[in-house]
Amino acid sequence: MAGADAGPIANQSITWHNPTFGTNTILRSDSNGNAVLAWPTTMPVAPNNYINLRPDLAETDFVWKIEGSCTTQPGVLTALDAGAAGPAGALRNLTAGGCSAIFYYIQIPTIDARVQKRNVDGIWQVFSGGTLSLLGSQGGTIAQVTPGMGATTFSLTGNQLRPRVGQLGWTLMYSPPPPPAYLMYEQIDPTPGTNSVVDSDTNALRFTPGNSVGNVFNLVETANPIFATIRGHVELKKIDGTTVRGPFGSVSLRNTGGSRVTYNIPVSAEGSFEARVPMATPPITTNITLSFNRMADLNAYVDEVVGTGTWGSTNVSWSGNRGTLQIDVPSTGGTALGYIFRLRELPPPPPVPIPNGTMRPRYHGYLDPAKGVTLADSPTMSWPHAETGDFMPYVELQPLGDPPPGYRYEQEVVAWSYNGSMGIEARKADGLGRTGCRPGADAPPAGIDTSLLRGCVFRYRDNPSAAQMGAQARLHWSVPNAPNVAPNVYAYRLSQIRAVDMKVSALVETRVVFTATGQTWKQYTVMDGTFVINMLAVVTTK
């Protein structure tokens, strides 16, 4: 099996699961790769109506993704992680019309590369120094290794398989070690292999999806170069006013004027560094860029970069996490002193403030001809008896006050929970004897800790549409018996028409942010609320 466009796959099973009806159907593709499923024309109204899809390809060196659209509602077929490879997809908002879905099985590619060096006597040999870094198509480093004496192989992970066939996807870069005193690396000349091209600006190789072999980085040495040495140090000003030196981050040097080679410069325990820049004769380097990156877990920020050393500098800049400067190197070489990266210790962050606010119910009903979303004026509202409706809280947070200088406060409601009604907890048996949280809920975004919420959890939306309300808490109260409503409804039985309650909780994420670096301290707070819902008798006329 080759790649995403290799053609149809016959005799492949696909599992379709309809949570609305609780059914599973296993199909098998024909010789043309097609599998057809028909669903009832009585499908419930979207968005609670969807079918989960899962192919059963057993080979572990392949991943898959899904594309397609519904003929009556174009574009509503999406993967659960939009645009990503599996493991799951869903046909959503189905109508009585047809939909089509395409499963792409994508081979997990491998990339091999090697580094070879041409010595000053003109002899090529495989080189095992420096670092090869494979960067993903969505950013970030997939792998970073020291090249061996033969080919070095990278295997890409499934979550990096975003690019379509024919598009450049991943980048392979090589960074050499600092050269010996009598040599310089004049250039890095990459030679592309299969499915790769040269990025001339960065001396890197870029890849399309698929396996790639024959990638080479050629490292050329030049004897008897002129050297330019740049010395400096890293220092930290503490809260008590004292200044100490130390290895508070990493220093790198980029040869911007000629070969565009990047060197990592070690910082000593005393905070000093020495960047020895080799130059050919005549020099191919006229300037270098010196950069500093603070340690990720350091409780400090870059406060200043001093570039007034022996040779001066241009383009001096710094932010909370990084500082850079460009140094003009004279053609005669020599030594330049006095380049400093200064950090300042972070003041203790203020306590994360406790949020405060009010709640009102937001609701959506199906007897309303406009089928709109309504926000109640207070925690008390009226509702037609025996009508099924969608409910969620609207939370109005109060300002957190003024933070100390250098900080800012942030707050947002990130989730909420339906806790119950009429003394019946949300997970306990309702009027139909059904237990547990109902299917089809709009789940909070990944990474949010909802463990503090005690009920059935939903995503919080500031301004939901009618369709989005359909995936919030769906409730029904009726006399004398709760009817056989859909499985996603919390149904309650009343002995008479009367007021009922709806208990909810909102999860608020509050953050203290140090503006210079973006460092964040956060905490979650639960706000509880009770809504009073006055049941109204529905009068019909004939």
Side-chain angles (χ1 to χ4, degrees):
M1 200 177 300
D5 294 339
I9 305 174
N11 201 33
Q12 168 60 36
S13 61
I14 302 173
T15 301
W16 306 68
H17 174 65
N18 186 335
T20 302
F21 292 104
T23 59
N24 287 286
T25 303
I26 298 179
L27 305 177
R28 192 166 291 277
S29 60
D30 60 20
S31 59
N32 294 317
N34 297 318
V36 179
L37 172 71
W39 54 81
T41 58
T42 57
M43 273 274 186
V45 177
N48 295 304
N49 171 12
Y50 63 97
I51 292 179
N52 288 332
L53 309 170
R54 183 175 65 85
D56 297 323
L57 190 68
E59 298 177 59
T60 58
D61 58 341
F62 288 81
V63 295
W64 63 274
K65 66 179 179 180
I66 180 175
E67 292 182 355
S69 64
C70 288
T71 57
T72 53
Q73 294 179 287
V76 299
L77 174 61
T78 59
L80 292 182
D81 179 10
L91 283 163
R92 296 182 181 275
N93 302 344
L94 299 178
T95 65
C99 291
S100 63
I102 302 174
F103 290 103
Y104 289 103
Y105 293 97
I106 309 171
Q107 187 177 23
I108 299 177
T110 58
I111 294 172
D112 74 47
R114 73 177 190 275
V115 180
Q116 62 182 21
K117 180 181 67 173
R118 190 183 71 185
N119 297 330
V120 292
D121 55 6
I123 298 175
W124 286 97
Q125 63 182 29
V126 176
F127 186 61
S128 59
T131 304
L132 280 167
S133 300
L134 184 63
L135 309 180
S137 59
Q138 304 300 304
T141 301
I142 299 175
Q144 192 172 57
V145 297
T146 299
M149 294 305 293
T152 300
T153 300
F154 297 87
S155 287
L156 277 71
T157 56
N159 61 8
Q160 293 291 337
L161 297 174
R162 300 292 181 93
R164 297 295 300 273
V165 170
Q167 293 179 335
L168 295 173
W170 312 284
T171 301
L172 187 64
M173 303 188 71
Y174 174 68
S175 177
Y182 58 91
L183 296 173
M184 73 157 292
Y185 301 138
E186 180 179 334
Q187 64 187 58
I188 297 176
D189 180 21
T191 301
T194 56
N195 297 322
S196 64
V197 297
V198 176
D199 186 332
S200 58
D201 290 334
T202 59
N203 286 343
L205 292 173
R206 301 184 66 200
F207 298 86
T208 59
N211 294 330
S212 183
V213 297
N215 301 287
V216 181
F217 287 92
N218 301 302
L219 190 62
V220 180
E221 290 183 346
T222 298
N224 302 316
I226 296 173
F227 282 93
T229 301
I230 297 171
R231 292 174 183 160
H233 68 268
V234 181
E235 63 184 35
L236 170 66
K237 187 172 184 178
K238 306 188 74 173
I239 294 176
D240 61 8
T242 60
T243 299
V244 295
R245 295 185 181 185
F248 304 120
S250 60
V251 176
S252 62
L253 177 151
R254 182 161 176 78
N255 203 337
T256 53
S259 60
R260 300 186 300 276
V261 176
T262 299
Y263 302 103
N264 294 318
I265 308 301
V267 181
S268 71
E270 293 76 29
S272 61
F273 61 86
E274 178 175 310
R276 197 160 184 266
V277 188
M279 303 168 61
T281 307
I284 62 170
T285 297
T286 57
N287 59 69
I288 63 123
T289 297
L290 201 64
S291 301
F292 172 81
N293 288 281
R294 73 171 182 90
M295 290 180 178
D297 57 350
L298 186 68
N299 195 39
Y301 61 98
V302 180
D303 187 49
E304 185 182 15
V305 174
V306 178
T308 56
T310 307
W311 294 334
S313 62
T314 58
N315 298 324
V316 180
S317 65
W318 63 90
S319 62
N321 300 313
R322 177 179 170 85
T324 62
L325 53 88
Q326 191 174 86
I327 302 172
D328 293 328
V329 179
S331 59
T332 55
T335 300
L337 309 175
Y339 298 94
I340 304 171
F341 295 104
R342 286 179 174 155
L343 295 93
R344 184 179 294 270
E345 189 175 13
L346 271 172
V352 180
I354 303 298
N356 192 18
T358 59
M359 292 191 203
R360 289 179 282 161
R362 198 190 291 274
Y363 57 93
H364 164 252
Y366 295 93
L367 295 181
D368 176 10
K371 291 184 171 60
V373 179
T374 304
L375 176 62
D377 295 327
S378 72
T380 300
M381 58 169 285
S382 297
W383 185 254
H385 157 257
E387 180 186 357
T388 299
D390 306 321
F391 294 83
M392 69 171 293
Y394 168 74
V395 183
E396 188 172 5
L397 295 173
Q398 302 300 319
L400 292 174
D402 296 326
Y407 291 92
R408 69 175 184 268
Y409 291 148
E410 297 176 351
Q411 62 176 348
E412 64 173 323
V413 183
V414 293
W416 75 279
S417 67
Y418 168 59
N419 300 333
S421 177
M422 301 170 51
I424 303 173
E425 295 181 11
R427 292 188 174 89
K428 297 294 180 64
D430 64 3
L432 295 177
R434 297 182 301 195
T435 60
C437 297
R438 303 300 184 259
D442 188 3
I448 294 176
D449 181 8
T450 60
S451 60
L452 293 176
L453 295 172
R454 65 180 184 275
C456 293
V457 178
F458 298 83
R459 179 176 186 156
Y460 182 82
R461 294 185 180 274
D462 278 317
N463 189 24
S465 65
Q468 290 169 336
M469 284 294 294
Q472 299 291 324
R474 181 162 290 186
L475 302 172
H476 182 102
W477 298 268
S478 62
V479 177
N481 296 314
N484 189 20
V485 293
N488 62 337
V489 177
Y490 298 86
Y492 299 97
R493 185 188 323 180
L494 297 173
S495 59
Q496 60 183 358
I497 296 177
R498 62 176 179 83
V500 297
D501 63 356
M502 176 183 174
K503 294 189 177 297
V504 299
S505 296
L507 184 67
V508 183
E509 183 179 289
T510 312
R511 299 178 289 269
V512 174
V513 182
F514 185 65
T515 54
T517 63
Q519 286 177 271
T520 301
W521 297 263
K522 67 180 180 181
Q523 71 180 17
Y524 291 109
T525 303
V526 173
M527 297 172 56
D528 294 322
T530 300
F531 303 142
V532 176
I533 303 175
N534 294 314
M535 289 288 119
L536 301 177
V538 178
V539 179
T540 60
T541 59
K542 296 184 179 180

